[in-house]
């Protein structure tokens, strides 16, 4: 990797968070590391974005897409990315001044995939229980706790190469898709399967509001777990994991539906 690699910041948006996007763009403009581009993927046409972007001295691309779907939008963003490194910011996240400089320094030591730590400075809370306290390479199981806004990856790892076929977000998963979550876990799992292990930097932060914990999952979320496990693991492992998960969550009433959804789902693009 060259001394000053370019970062592509891919931001998928529905166009309803103008204030939050301004906050994000301001923290991008204030980065100490300046070699990056912003790719804004609009899932519906909004006239306001040209006015917002005009207020910042950033290298930007605006891409319109038809329909909706977070994973689809990120894949479209990847098709337009020109950076050596890509990351997937939400329109309501924001960054420390040194974030990009720290990320580049880590990539210069030979890392392929990096995960930061999500933190809410207002509530002074991390995005999850901090079971991992020190920098380390993550196991496949630990990838389940990662969020997409924390991910930075060398773009070359995502393209068709000697390690395997190209890697993209599975468009059946994520907001606006058939299964509403898990897209980042599958994305990192596919990288892991091809030998690209994620390195976790607990001290490097990306900011995002942490919502109050919801202990009871919706039925849609529950039905998504089986296909997620099946996409990441083998079918026998998926049925074992989904059985343990649902008995732990005491959701026996819909367990038959969960098993049926898991059986019916057929993973696409498995490696």
């Amino acid at each position: 990797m060259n001394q000053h690699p370019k970062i592509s910041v891919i931001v998928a948006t529905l166009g309803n968070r103008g204030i939050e996007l301004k906050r994000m763009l301001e923290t991008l403009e204030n980065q100490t590391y300046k070699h990056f581009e912003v790719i804004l993927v609009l899932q519906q046409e909004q006239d306001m974005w040209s006015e917002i972007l005009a207020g910042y001295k950033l290298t930007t691309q605006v891409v319109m897409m038809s329909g909706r779907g977070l994973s689809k939008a990120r894949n479209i963003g990847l098709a337009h990315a020109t950076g050596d490194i890509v990351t997937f910011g939400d329109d309501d996240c924001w960054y420390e001044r040194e974030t990009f400089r720290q990320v580049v320094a880590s990539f210069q030591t030979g890392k392929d995939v990096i995960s930061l730590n999500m933190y809410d400075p207002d509530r002074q809370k991390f995005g999850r229980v901090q079971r991992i306290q020190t920098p380390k390479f993550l196991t496949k199981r630990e990838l389940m706790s990662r969020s997409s806004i924390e991910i930075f990856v060398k773009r070359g790892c995502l393209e068709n190469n000697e390690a395997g076929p190209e890697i993209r977000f599975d468009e059946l998963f994520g907001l606006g898709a058939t299964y509403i979550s898990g897209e980042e876990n599958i994305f990192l799992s596919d990288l892991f399967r091809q030998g690209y292990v994620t390195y976790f930097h607990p001290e490097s932060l990306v900011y995002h509001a942490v919502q109050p914990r919801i202990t009871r999952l919706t039925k849609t979320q529950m039905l998504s777990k089986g296909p997620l496990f099946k996409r990441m693991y083998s079918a026998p492992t998926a049925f074992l994991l989904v059985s343990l998960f649902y008995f732990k969550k005491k959701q026996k009433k819909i367990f038959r539906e969960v098993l049926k959804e898991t059986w019916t789902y057929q993973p696409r693009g498995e490696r």
Side-chain angles (χ1 to χ4, degrees):
M1 180 171 285
N2 62 59
Q3 187 176 359
H4 299 290
K6 182 179 180 180
I7 300 174
S8 293
V9 186
I10 298 171
V11 184
T13 180
L14 290 173
N16 55 359
R17 290 174 175 161
I19 294 174
E20 291 87 348
L21 181 64
K22 287 180 181 180
R23 176 180 59 189
M24 181 198 197
L25 294 173
E26 182 175 343
T27 63
L28 288 175
E29 193 164 63
N30 289 333
Q31 288 295 304
T32 56
Y33 187 85
K34 302 294 186 182
H35 196 198
F36 63 89
E37 64 179 356
V38 181
I39 302 171
L40 193 67
V41 184
L42 302 179
Q43 297 181 61
Q44 58 186 17
E45 189 170 356
Q46 292 285 334
D47 294 335
M48 61 185 291
W49 297 113
S50 59
E51 297 179 9
I52 291 176
L53 292 174
Y56 300 91
K57 297 178 181 179
L58 296 168
T59 301
T60 60
Q61 294 185 57
V62 178
V63 183
M64 296 297 305
M65 64 174 277
S66 59
R68 293 189 180 185
L70 183 57
S71 290
K72 179 181 178 182
R74 286 174 174 159
N75 287 341
I76 290 172
L78 279 170
H80 289 80
T82 62
D84 306 287
I85 300 166
V86 294
T87 188
F88 308 96
D90 284 347
D91 53 13
D92 60 345
C93 76
W94 67 105
Y95 301 96
E96 287 187 319
R97 283 174 53 83
E98 296 292 322
T99 298
F100 286 8
R101 184 190 63 77
Q102 292 170 351
V103 164
V104 168
S106 185
F107 275 113
Q108 298 289 16
T109 65
K111 307 297 190 302
D112 293 312
V113 192
I114 292 171
S115 173
L116 308 187
N117 218 349
M118 186 169 68
Y119 184 72
D120 184 339
D122 295 326
R123 300 186 66 199
Q124 297 185 2
K125 296 186 69 173
F126 288 94
R128 65 192 63 79
V129 178
Q130 291 301 99
R131 294 189 175 91
I132 309 173
Q133 302 288 344
T134 58
K136 60 166 291 186
F137 287 103
L138 300 177
T139 66
K140 188 174 182 180
R141 180 179 179 182
E142 289 168 337
L143 298 179
M144 292 296 293
S145 67
R146 297 300 95 201
S147 169
S148 56
I149 65 173
E150 301 165 340
I151 300 169
F152 288 76
V153 56
K154 288 181 181 177
R155 188 161 63 93
C157 297
L158 303 176
E159 306 309 324
N160 185 29
N161 56 42
E162 64 276 3
E166 73 172 14
I167 295 173
R168 294 293 185 266
F169 284 93
D170 190 323
E171 295 182 10
L172 285 178
F173 293 82
L175 290 175
T178 303
Y179 306 110
I180 64 173
S181 63
E183 75 285 353
E184 61 269 270
N185 312 122
I186 292 169
F187 183 77
L188 291 174
S189 176
D190 286 346
L191 283 162
F192 186 92
R193 198 173 286 125
Q194 291 189 186
Y196 303 119
V197 185
T198 299
Y199 191 80
F200 177 51
H201 283 284
E203 73 283 1
S204 298
L205 305 178
V206 55
Y207 296 132
H208 192 281
V210 175
Q211 302 299 323
R213 187 179 178 187
I214 300 174
T215 57
R216 190 174 183 85
L217 298 177
T218 66
K219 183 176 180 179
T220 303
Q221 290 171 320
M222 297 294 282
L223 290 174
S224 296
K225 292 298 181 183
L228 172 60
F229 293 146
K230 193 173 181 180
R231 178 62 172 80
M232 291 183 65
Y233 301 96
S234 65
T237 301
F239 281 105
L240 174 61
L241 290 174
V242 82
S243 299
L244 294 172
F245 181 84
Y246 284 95
F247 280 104
K248 180 181 178 181
K249 294 295 182 180
K250 299 179 180 179
Q251 295 290 334
K252 296 179 182 179
K253 290 183 179 180
I254 66 168
F255 187 57
R256 188 182 298 273
E257 289 183 70
V258 171
L259 291 179
K260 181 179 179 181
E261 189 69 36
T262 306
W263 176 265
T264 302
Y265 166 72
Q266 296 298 320
R268 296 188 300 190
E270 283 192 313
R271 297 162 177 82

